[in-house]
Amino acid sequence: MNCFKSTNIKSAKTAIATTLLTQILSIVLPTAWQSIPSAIALPGQKPDQVIDWIRTNPALRPEAGERLLVRKSDTPSRRFQFQASVVLPGIAAIKASDTNLIRSEQIRFFDIINGVTRSRLEESLRSIYGPEIMRDYATAKRVYAYPTAAMVQRSRGKNASQILWALQGELRQGKKYGYWVELLQNGKGSANSGQITVFELESLPKLEQELIKREQL
């Protein structure tokens, strides 16, 4: 009986997450993975190619004038953002040649009303990129996760930075791309904001170094 109840609760949460994603993106999600076209513009391609892909992506549906940055919001407390960039979040320095290629694409949610979960971020990844990228993400190897045990211990100090425990995330290494997932905890056992970033594998070591540096904050 308890197992049946637990299964029903889990199914209900999944259904709610999917409904919320549909509402905030103002789209009707396909009912089958196979009906979602595979992504045709990803990090490593030119900005014009990515702009064309964003313009025709049925999940993103940008407004007139939106190019590499798409924003959607139904209330100030519920916002969605997709951004393709020539830089990777967390890495400030770029080469001059990098301005001709997209290096990362980030999906970000902010939701005070319903909160943000990992499953919600993953569902947005699937709806925007399709099954091929979702499979690469699902089978990707986790190479770094935080907060580490040392960060948790230091967060209990008198003058410790709250970022030591509030930020929870991981880096994953797929066969095609790297993935950075991060949630910002609100201190109440849930998160109000989170992001998932797709980036080129060659940037993985540098991003890992930058995140490890945060352990010293």
Side-chain angles (χ1 to χ4, degrees), residues 26-204:
S26 301
I27 62 171
V28 177
L29 294 177
T31 56
W33 283 34
Q34 289 78 8
S35 64
I36 305 173
S38 297
I40 58 173
L42 285 156
Q45 295 186 317
K46 295 182 178 180
D48 287 345
Q49 292 176 288
V50 177
I51 290 172
D52 288 341
W53 170 71
I54 291 174
R55 185 183 299 117
T56 58
N57 189 295
L60 293 174
R61 296 175 60 182
E63 299 291 338
E66 290 185 323
R67 293 164 61 81
L68 294 174
L69 176 62
V70 177
R71 291 193 179 101
K72 296 186 184 297
S73 175
D74 53 2
T75 69
S77 59
R78 280 162 48 100
R79 301 191 298 271
F80 166 85
Q81 176 178 298
F82 176 89
Q83 183 172 21
S85 177
V86 297
V87 300
L88 178 64
I91 301 179
I94 62 171
K95 301 176 183 178
S97 59
D98 285 351
T99 58
N100 296 321
L101 294 174
I102 295 298
R103 296 302 184 188
S104 66
E105 295 175 1
Q106 184 182 76
I107 301 164
R108 180 177 291 274
F109 277 103
F110 176 75
D111 192 338
I112 293 180
I113 298 174
N114 302 292
V116 180
T117 63
R118 178 186 292 268
S119 62
R120 188 173 178 185
L121 292 170
E122 292 171 346
E123 175 63 20
S124 66
L125 182 74
R126 182 191 69 84
S127 66
I128 291 171
Y129 290 101
E132 183 177 351
I133 296 304
M134 189 61 200
R135 282 194 294 268
D136 189 55
Y137 167 83
T139 57
K141 177 179 65 176
R142 186 173 69 176
V143 297
Y144 177 71
Y146 56 93
T148 63
M151 292 170 69
V152 172
Q153 184 175 2
R154 288 181 57 216
S155 70
R156 298 169 182 162
K158 183 177 180 180
N159 298 316
S161 171
Q162 292 185 351
I163 199 173
L164 289 173
W165 61 264
L167 287 175
Q168 297 184 3
E170 66 179 27
L171 287 178
R172 300 167 70 111
Q173 180 179 357
K175 293 182 178 180
K176 296 178 180 293
Y177 297 97
Y179 304 89
W180 177 22
V181 185
E182 184 174 78
L183 294 168
L184 179 60
Q185 302 297 310
N186 56 22
K188 301 178 182 179
S190 59
N192 293 131
S193 65
Q195 60 85 14
I196 183 167
T197 304
V198 184
F199 59 92
E200 294 178 299
L201 283 174
E202 64 183 39
S203 298
L204 183 61

